[in-house]
Amino acid sequence: DGGITQSPKYLFRKEGQNVTLSCEQNLNHDAMYWYRQDPGQGLRLIYYSQIVNDFQKGDIAEGYSVSREKKESFPLTVTSAQKNPTAFYLCASSIHGNYGYTFGSGTRLTVV
Amino acid sequence: QKEVEQNSGPLSVPEGAIASLNCTYSDRGSQSFFWYRQYSGKSPELIMSIYSNGDKEDGRFTAQLNKASQYVSLLIRDSQPSDSATYLCAVLPAINAGNMLTFGGGTRLMVKP
């Protein structure tokens, strides 16, 4: 079955630690996105990529980094520079915005 | 100025009633419109898409689009407690770098038994 997989489902980060969230899709979608969602809030765009080896900052990119070395994969690293990383992180992909996005199941990150 | 606006709610309706969720957008040239359902703690799920003026029905769901007035709505007939969720409106603006959707903040729907 085609889909988009995020792992892990839950992640705990210590202060000052970098962590990487995985996002893999087998939908053959060109575009991939990372969003952050805080409790009771909407989606905020962190980074997006329209093509392999190219990505763009979204509205809240500070403290985050990404790579797009393969079409199927778009990992997100939450660096120690992100001072308030506790949130629900959603990865999405699309063949074209005109057809909507497919979302992964999300990763819940907590700072301990 | 937020480009896609939704009332955050909560919108509370009794079981069996019609729930009406509304969304307005600022880009008059927008062409594609989507409704996502998000249960608490889960990821958004696409439930409806609409591209032309008028109504589009799918089971108990009806999406309505009025481009002249720049609003899109979602009607849920015979609402069930399982419909309790946050509903996100998403729009593909005409002026767009990268064919990216703009999301509203979502409306929380509560269906009471």
Side-chain angles (χ1 to χ4, degrees):
Chain A
D1 285 340
I4 180 166
T5 302
Q6 289 187 244
S7 62
K9 190 171 183 178
Y10 299 96
L11 186 58
F12 299 90
R13 192 194 94 165
K14 294 181 180 178
E15 295 281 351
Q17 189 178 46
N18 292 355
V19 292
T20 297
L21 285 60
S22 171
C23 179
E24 303 276 337
Q25 55 96 1
N26 60 2
L27 299 166
N28 199 31
H29 286 175
D30 288 314
M32 297 186 74
Y33 313 86
W34 274 106
Y35 288 90
R36 169 179 172 146
Q37 189 174 39
D38 293 284
Q41 303 297 313
L43 304 176
R44 291 191 290 169
L45 182 65
I46 305 172
Y47 268 97
Y48 66 97
S49 170
Q50 300 289 330
I51 195 169
V52 175
N53 291 322
D54 186 54
F55 48 83
Q56 305 297 327
K57 292 181 179 180
D59 301 320
I60 56 164
E62 186 174 351
Y64 300 97
S65 65
V66 294
S67 63
R68 186 84 187 276
E69 298 177 359
K70 299 186 299 180
K71 187 176 184 178
E72 301 79 16
S73 179
F74 192 40
L76 173 74
T77 296
V78 184
T79 75
S80 57
Q82 172 50 242
K83 298 306 179 187
N84 185 24
T86 295
F88 188 43
Y89 290 86
L90 288 159
C91 181
S93 69
S94 71
I95 191 165
H96 187 287
N98 203 39
Y99 299 99
Y101 294 173
T102 300
F103 284 89
S105 57
T107 293
R108 193 165 300 279
L109 174 63
T110 304
V111 174
V112 296
Chain B
Q1 180 185 359
K2 198 161 172 63
E3 298 175 6
V4 179
E5 296 273 5
Q6 295 181 256
N7 189 317
S8 61
L11 172 66
S12 182
V13 300
E15 184 175 357
I18 296 175
S20 178
L21 305 164
N22 298 312
C23 170
T24 59
Y25 59 94
S26 59
D27 185 345
R28 183 171 290 277
S30 297
Q31 295 296 319
S32 305
F33 308 86
F34 307 90
W35 283 100
Y36 286 83
R37 177 177 62 200
Q38 186 177 24
Y39 292 115
S40 181
K42 303 296 184 182
S43 63
E45 171 193 10
L46 180 65
I47 56 172
M48 290 288 282
S49 58
I50 187 166
Y51 302 97
S52 56
N53 278 330
D55 295 359
K56 178 181 178 182
E57 188 173 316
D58 184 0
R60 295 187 296 113
F61 298 99
T62 299
Q64 298 177 319
L65 175 61
N66 184 325
K67 290 186 178 180
S69 300
Q70 294 176 239
Y71 81 79
V72 57
S73 61
L74 179 70
L75 301 179
I76 306 175
R77 291 183 299 281
D78 188 23
S79 295
Q80 301 297 311
S82 59
D83 294 324
S84 298
T86 296
Y87 290 81
L88 302 172
C89 172
V91 175
L92 183 65
I95 302 172
N96 195 316
N99 297 307
M100 292 174 53
L101 298 182
T102 299
F103 287 86
T107 298
R108 184 175 160 216
L109 173 66
M110 296 174 58
V111 180
K112 297 190 173 180

